[in-house]
């Protein structure tokens, strides 16, 4: 909703459409990417990916590799990385 209110058209993901499939450089599935949201405004493409983080706030290695794939496959577009909300750890019950 926020992107659309700013004039973007959602073209993939965002609970509106299937996530965009970006094929690998060789055209195959291995090395491909699926950003969570793809939006276009004034001919410019914005991709948004939510990522898992460590307690330090840094992306996990898997998420960093996925972000790098998107940047490498679509270097002229903007990629916005958004950390997922961390679930609070539940206390361990005492006996």
């Amino acid at each position: 909703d926020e992107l659309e209110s700013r004039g973007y058209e959602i073209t993939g993901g965002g609970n509106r459409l299937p996530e965009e499939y970006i094929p690998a450089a060789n055209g195959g599935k291995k090395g491909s990417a699926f950003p969570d949201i793809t939006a276009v405004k004034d001919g410019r493409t914005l991709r948004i990916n939510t990522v898992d983080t460590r307690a330090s706030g840094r992306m996990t290695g898997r998420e960093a590799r996925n972000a790098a794939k998107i940047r490498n496959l679509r270097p002229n577009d903007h990629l916005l990385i958004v950390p997922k909300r961390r679930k609070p750890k539940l206390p361990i019950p005492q006996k």
Side-chain angles (χ1 to χ4, degrees), residues 32-90:
S32 62
F34 291 87
D36 294 321
I37 301 172
T38 305
V40 176
K41 178 181 177 181
D42 300 330
R44 302 277 323 229
T45 301
L46 168 66
R47 290 182 178 83
I48 300 173
N49 228 28
T50 57
V51 297
D52 294 316
T53 59
R54 302 197 178 284
S56 66
R58 293 179 59 103
M59 280 188 278
T60 64
R62 177 179 168 269
E63 297 286 20
R65 287 188 298 277
N66 288 336
K69 276 194 285 188
I70 295 169
R71 285 189 175 117
N72 288 332
L73 293 169
R74 297 294 185 264
N76 296 321
D77 297 336
H78 186 71
L79 175 63
L80 178 63
I81 301 296
V82 178
K84 293 177 185 172
R85 288 190 181 153
R86 295 181 59 82
K87 294 179 183 174
K89 291 186 179 181
L90 299 174

Side-chain angles (χ1 to χ4, degrees), residues 5 10 13 18 20-22 26 40-41 43 47 73 85 91-92:
S5 75
I10 305 297
E20 174 190 19
Y21 167 67
I22 304 173
N26 64 7
V40 176
K41 178 181 177 181
R47 290 182 178 83
L73 293 169
R85 288 190 181 153
I92 299 172

